[in-house]
Amino acid sequence: MMKYLFLSLLTLFLAIAIGSVISEDPGYMFLSISGWKIETSAVLFFIILFLVFILVYFFVRSLVRVWQLPKDIRIWKTHKKQYLSEKYITEGLVNMTEGNWKEAENKFCKAASNSKNPYIIYLYAARAAQEINALKKRDEYLRLAHTYNPNDSLTIGLTQAELQLNQRQTVQALATLNNLHEKWPEQIRIKKLLLEIYTLLKDWQSIIELLCVIEKKNLYSDDVIEDKKINAYVGLLKDAGISGDRKKLNKLWEEIPRKLKRKHLLFEVYISERLKFEDTIDCEALLKDAIKRQWDRKLVRLYGLVVAQDPDKQLQTAESWLSSYSHDPALLLTIGRICVRNSLWSKAKEYLQKSIDIQESSDVFFQFANLYQQQGDYKQAAIYYEKGLTLISEEK
């Protein structure tokens, strides 16, 4: 503000000074050009010269503006497109947050049409399209994203695999991730998605192999790694049991790390699968040691299913646990089972009844039915079979 005031005062001062000079002596100008003679006062000459200069200046400026007009229009259009792109992206993200997937897809498409590099926007559009189950559109958006930025195939491929996995397109997702894994074998996100797919496909061996790599990268905590390994080994043990190959089952058990073998879940699954085969005498000693380390009802139940080499000693071992767990229904059922196997009918009935009095169980009812069936009392056996089936249906 002070600057303009100073210039105005300076201009006014010069005008006054020039006016004073002109009033005393206006001056005289004489020009002769090719026979033409011009006579005028100096004041008028300089006024005309100034006006000509102004006209020439504005004429040149106008020509420059006209010359730059196409460029200015292009810049204006670019800025407008950028503004519209940002506006539609914002609206699309808001719609995604609110769950308006169809509207979000439309906004992202509009944003992409106004963007110079729309491949990220097409990835958002693909996510929105999947939410409305428009899988063909989803794949088309992914293709467009790759077309606009073929150098970022990792980001696009990960998005594609994630969307396929969310849609339970496991085979397609696995193919996508295997292709990415060949190009980027150290990429963390690829490994995590592969782990999810192997879990869905129950490819337990691949999970174990991948976990060994992931463990070195510290992608998960030790507890999470251990849980995932246990689940994978459980799957492998069950598959070995289903295959009917006892050697395969035992070999697998030997390969499991000693630290994991002490986990009761793994041990329980191994013994359960072993009991599908003949000659399970060694299982009695294994179970006894495990139960001694830590009381576990599931292992106690399995102890009653094992046919031991010395049934009397097995019964003594089970009854010795009564001193600490006399009201454990699983232990009472186990002792009842062993008694039935040893034809100790009265003793078996006593333990089985105590188990039922504490907690009704379909296993106890079926064991009672087995007892009466072996005694030839098929009527009572049928009654207890029916009780067991009724209890199962009620539990469901």
Side-chain angles (χ1 to χ4, degrees):
M1 191 69 181
M2 291 297 294
K3 177 181 177 181
Y4 292 119
L5 179 61
F6 175 76
L7 289 174
S8 300
L9 291 174
L10 180 61
T11 303
L12 180 61
F13 175 76
L14 290 174
I16 293 172
I18 294 171
S20 300
V21 173
I22 291 174
S23 61
E24 294 178 2
D25 185 8
Y28 177 76
M29 295 294 298
F30 177 80
L31 295 175
S32 178
I33 302 173
S34 300
W36 290 85
K37 295 180 181 179
I38 301 175
E39 296 182 29
T40 182
S41 66
V43 174
L44 181 59
F45 174 79
F46 283 112
I47 289 175
I48 293 173
L49 186 63
F50 176 74
L51 291 175
V52 170
F53 172 79
I54 293 296
L55 289 174
V56 171
Y57 172 78
F58 280 105
F59 178 73
V60 172
R61 283 292 304 272
S62 298
L63 287 178
V64 171
R65 291 294 298 169
V66 170
W67 179 264
Q68 292 182 337
L69 187 59
K71 180 181 177 181
D72 292 340
I73 292 175
R74 286 195 300 271
I75 293 174
W76 175 80
K77 286 183 176 180
T78 300
H79 289 164
K80 183 179 179 181
K81 280 179 172 288
Q82 184 178 355
Y83 165 76
L84 290 175
S85 178
E86 292 174 357
K87 174 176 176 289
Y88 289 132
I89 288 174
T90 302
E91 292 175 356
L93 291 174
V94 170
N95 284 313
M96 281 186 73
T97 305
E98 295 175 351
N100 300 324
W101 302 107
K102 181 62 179 176
E103 189 63 25
E105 180 199 354
N106 292 334
K107 295 297 183 182
F108 287 134
C109 288
K110 290 181 179 179
S113 64
N114 287 284
S115 176
K116 293 175 66 175
N117 191 11
Y119 90 100
I120 287 291
I121 303 173
Y122 279 124
L123 295 183
Y124 280 113
R127 292 181 182 276
Q130 172 152 302
E131 292 295 334
I132 58 175
N133 208 32
L135 301 186
K136 289 186 177 179
K137 278 189 174 182
R138 177 202 70 183
D139 294 338
E140 177 62 16
Y141 292 140
L142 291 171
R143 187 192 66 78
L144 287 171
H146 187 269
T147 299
Y148 279 99
N149 194 352
N151 294 325
D152 199 4
S153 54
L154 174 60
T155 302
I156 298 167
L158 283 171
T159 302
Q160 182 178 13
E162 185 180 338
L163 294 177
Q164 290 170 334
L165 184 58
N166 291 341
Q167 198 67 22
R168 290 297 186 268
Q169 295 177 305
T170 51
V171 176
Q172 296 91 323
L174 181 60
T176 301
L177 285 171
N178 282 335
N179 182 46
L180 293 174
H181 195 251
E182 289 180 4
K183 298 178 181 177
W184 295 278
E186 300 300 320
Q187 218 284 331
I188 295 174
R189 182 61 179 162
I190 294 174
K191 296 183 188 300
K192 288 186 174 182
L193 290 176
L194 276 173
L195 193 60
E196 289 185 40
I197 290 179
Y198 289 148
T199 303
L200 288 173
L201 295 175
K202 297 182 179 181
D203 187 350
W204 310 119
Q205 189 60 48
S206 295
I207 290 175
I208 296 295
E209 293 172 1
L210 187 58
L211 283 173
C212 292
V213 176
I214 289 177
E215 190 173 15
K216 299 175 183 177
K217 302 292 183 181
N218 295 321
L219 302 185
Y220 295 104
S221 67
D222 293 340
D223 291 339
V224 172
I225 291 288
E226 185 175 276
D227 288 342
K228 290 182 180 296
K229 280 187 176 181
I230 289 173
N231 290 334
Y233 279 123
V234 164
L236 286 173
L237 289 170
K238 289 182 177 180
D239 288 347
I242 293 172
S243 71
D245 189 340
R246 180 179 171 178
K247 290 183 179 179
K248 180 180 178 181
L249 177 63
N250 289 334
K251 181 182 178 183
L252 175 61
W253 181 250
E254 291 300 321
E255 292 174 351
I256 294 176
R258 182 175 297 179
K259 178 184 176 182
L260 297 181
K261 284 183 181 180
R262 300 177 71 89
K263 300 295 180 180
H264 277 211
L265 174 59
L266 264 185
F267 187 74
E268 177 201 347
V269 173
Y270 169 64
I271 296 297
S272 297
E273 298 304 320
R274 275 291 309 275
L275 292 177
K276 295 178 180 179
F277 303 96
E278 297 178 356
D279 188 17
T280 57
I281 293 173
D282 61 317
C283 291
E284 190 266 338
L286 292 173
L287 281 167
K288 185 166 62 175
D289 291 341
I291 294 169
K292 185 178 179 181
R293 288 195 302 269
Q294 181 181 342
W295 185 260
D296 189 307
R297 283 185 172 183
K298 292 180 179 179
L299 297 185
V300 171
R301 183 188 66 82
L302 288 174
Y303 189 78
L305 296 173
V306 172
V307 179
Q309 188 173 9
D310 188 343
D312 293 332
K313 189 175 180 181
Q314 182 185 21
L315 179 59
Q316 290 175 9
T317 298
E319 287 183 323
S320 70
W321 295 331
L322 287 171
S323 59
S324 300
Y325 305 98
S326 58
H327 293 88
D328 191 318
L331 175 57
L332 295 169
L333 168 60
T334 288
I335 298 174
R337 272 200 175 112
I338 298 172
C339 289
V340 170
R341 215 163 32 241
N342 293 348
S343 300
L344 302 173
W345 312 121
S346 298
K347 203 172 186 180
K349 289 179 183 178
E350 179 185 347
Y351 282 116
L352 292 175
Q353 188 59 52
K354 284 182 180 180
S355 181
I356 285 180
D357 291 342
I358 297 171
Q359 181 181 355
E360 287 191 348
S361 165
S362 58
D363 284 343
V364 179
F365 286 133
F366 291 146
Q367 195 58 52
F368 255 124
N370 180 40
L371 185 154
Y372 284 115
Q373 188 173 343
Q374 290 192 43
Q375 288 185 312
D377 190 346
Y378 298 107
K379 184 177 180 181
Q380 281 294 104
I383 291 173
Y384 278 99
Y385 271 126
E386 185 177 354
K387 286 183 178 181
L389 292 171
T390 301
L391 187 59
I392 290 176
S393 64
E394 289 176 354
E395 290 173 350
K396 290 180 179 180

